[in-house]
Amino acid sequence: MPEVAVADAEFREVFDSAALGGTTLVPLTHNPLNGVTAGVWRVTGGGRSAVLKVLTRTKETSVTWAASNDPRHWNFWRREAYVYQSGLAQIWQRHGIRAPRLLACVERPDGDLALWLEDVPGEPATAWPLARHVEHAYRLGAAQGAVGAGEDRPWLSQRFLRDYTAGRTTGQDLLDDDRAWRHPLVREHFPAGLREDMVRLHHDREWFLTVMESLPRAFCHLDQWPANVRSDGRDSVVLDWAFAGDGALGEDLGNYLPDSVFDLFVPAADLPGLAKAAYDAYAHGLRASGWRGDERLVRLGVCASAVKYDWLTALMLARADDEQPAYGGQGAVPAELRYRERGLALAFLADWAAEARLLAPQLGFPEAPSGR
């Protein structure tokens, strides 16, 4: 395989040695749809290991996940390399959150970029107890409170939430389709009232996005969820900085919590308790860092971030007859389990959205559009 030969040569250069018997590449789980990612592997040889992530702009994929040459676009293909090379990936390290160490960034003759990264041992957040997620939330609050919006770079993403959600339109015509809502998976596993709540969230999308874009800013990872976080025994190690850029204070936490349920890492029944404990910890971290803003703005950032998942309800309606793949295409999950857990998590987000509608006018924002 050409990929193995190229990786073997780069491995030798990175570690300044030749691996006896050659190197071994083991594919790692990632989003295979993303046009930016040519592949991710754990590479071992000679008693050493590293993670190889190859960034590309030539991979064929859907329009939704296409790589972009626009440095401000949420899926700009070179961004992760810039984040690592600039040192921004380590900007939160003194608060207990870091990235894997960059070992090398290799420009390949075909135009791709090979990121050679520290192979972080330790427990993935997909297996963490709830208390460890809460601890991570505290660290995130402390980090974002201390760093704030950070130093802008011309390749950091902007308008992430607006542009990321705009391209996800599958099934939107089904939100008002009685037959789609009568599908057995939907009827039996989506909570009562969810249809009305999710239709309203969809129709209020512009209001929510405007609120999120008007809140205090922070340097954000914008893809924090358990599959992208590990523990090295001391720090939280956050992977995959491809979307990093401008976001609202609280937006990263608002992504982390529901995503923990959507991909079945945390039971939906635990989400309300986890979300309360994690938010309290995040706010405590903010205060401990010296942040002295109005905490209601942070709460609004967390709750209004529910708009990120406006598209998910429509997708669930559209895919109710399909096999339900696990993340990264690694097998399948039971459809009943997925629809029950996601239905409960979407209902929780509907409560966040309702809280945001009540809170925003108290902080000087216009009221949300009234229900239809």
Side-chain angles (χ1 to χ4, degrees):
M1 287 177 58
E3 186 65 54
V4 174
V6 171
D8 182 71
E10 291 175 354
F11 184 90
R12 284 190 247 171
E13 184 174 344
V14 167
F15 290 111
D16 193 28
S17 65
L20 295 175
T23 56
T24 301
L25 274 69
V26 177
L28 297 180
T29 301
H30 64 284
N31 178 6
L33 301 177
N34 197 330
V36 166
T37 310
V40 185
W41 299 266
R42 174 173 288 110
V43 188
T44 58
R48 299 175 180 269
S49 68
V51 170
L52 168 62
K53 183 172 186 178
V54 178
L55 309 181
T56 187
R57 56 182 165 180
T58 60
K59 179 177 172 182
E60 292 187 10
T61 188
S62 66
V63 172
T64 302
W65 285 105
S68 174
N69 289 316
D70 177 358
R72 295 298 195 179
H73 188 273
W74 66 269
N75 214 26
F76 173 49
W77 79 280
R78 294 184 68 109
R79 178 175 297 114
E80 189 165 18
Y82 288 142
V83 173
Y84 276 107
Q85 290 175 311
S86 69
L88 272 182
Q90 308 297 355
I91 198 170
W92 296 334
Q93 185 162 6
R94 69 187 181 94
H95 303 285
I97 298 178
R98 70 176 184 89
R101 289 181 297 111
L102 177 66
L103 305 176
C105 179
V106 180
E107 297 252 7
R108 291 182 168 177
D110 61 3
D112 287 353
L113 282 174
L115 292 180
W116 286 88
L117 302 166
E118 170 193 7
D119 185 11
V120 180
E123 187 177 33
T126 55
W128 281 358
L130 297 182
R132 186 65 184 82
H133 294 295
V134 174
E135 181 183 352
H136 178 70
Y138 172 84
R139 295 177 178 191
L140 182 60
Q144 292 186 320
V147 172
E151 180 183 349
D152 188 27
R153 308 291 178 95
W155 34 260
L156 288 175
S157 65
Q158 291 183 338
R159 294 166 44 106
F160 168 80
L161 199 57
R162 179 179 295 275
D163 295 339
Y164 176 88
T165 57
R168 283 155 174 75
T169 59
T170 300
Q172 283 187 3
D173 56 326
L174 300 177
L175 287 171
D176 290 312
D177 188 317
D178 291 341
R179 185 172 61 178
W181 287 93
R182 286 197 299 266
H183 190 285
L185 277 176
V186 175
R187 185 182 66 245
E188 294 170 16
H189 298 293
F190 277 14
L194 186 63
R195 176 178 182 176
E196 179 181 1
D197 289 337
M198 290 296 103
V199 168
R200 185 176 183 194
L201 180 61
H202 180 66
H203 285 282
D204 288 354
R205 177 176 175 272
E206 180 58 35
W207 180 85
F208 278 97
L209 291 172
T210 300
V211 167
M212 289 296 291
E213 291 167 355
S214 305
L215 289 169
R217 313 318 293 164
F219 171 65
C220 289
H221 178 272
L222 297 172
D223 196 19
Q224 288 218 33
W225 62 304
N228 278 342
V229 184
R230 304 181 71 85
S231 172
D232 67 0
R234 184 183 69 177
D235 294 330
S236 294
V237 183
V238 179
L239 318 175
D240 196 354
W241 292 78
F243 300 162
D246 172 69
L249 202 60
E251 186 173 338
D252 271 343
L253 184 65
N255 184 88
Y256 187 95
L257 293 168
D259 253 6
S260 299
V261 175
F262 287 143
D263 283 285
L264 305 175
F265 303 130
V266 171
D270 290 337
L271 180 56
L274 172 61
K276 182 182 186 310
Y279 175 76
D280 289 346
Y282 182 83
H284 184 201
L286 282 173
R287 294 298 183 197
S289 75
W291 186 83
R292 295 293 180 264
D294 187 336
E295 191 181 307
R296 293 177 300 169
L297 291 168
V298 180
R299 182 64 187 173
L300 181 57
V302 172
C303 292
S305 70
V307 73
K308 181 184 178 183
Y309 299 100
D310 158 50
W311 57 271
L312 184 56
T313 306
L315 183 70
M316 298 292 285
L317 295 175
R319 300 283 170 80
D321 287 321
D322 298 348
E323 184 179 38
Q324 301 297 313
Y327 175 72
Q330 304 296 305
V333 299
E336 293 80 5
L337 175 63
R338 167 159 285 169
Y339 275 73
R340 184 190 74 228
E341 295 293 286
R342 287 190 173 181
L344 291 170
L346 288 168
F348 179 84
L349 290 181
D351 290 340
W352 266 4
E355 185 177 342
R357 292 187 186 97
L358 292 174
L359 187 56
Q362 300 173 27
L363 295 166
F365 292 92
E367 291 189 0
S370 58
R372 294 184 305 157

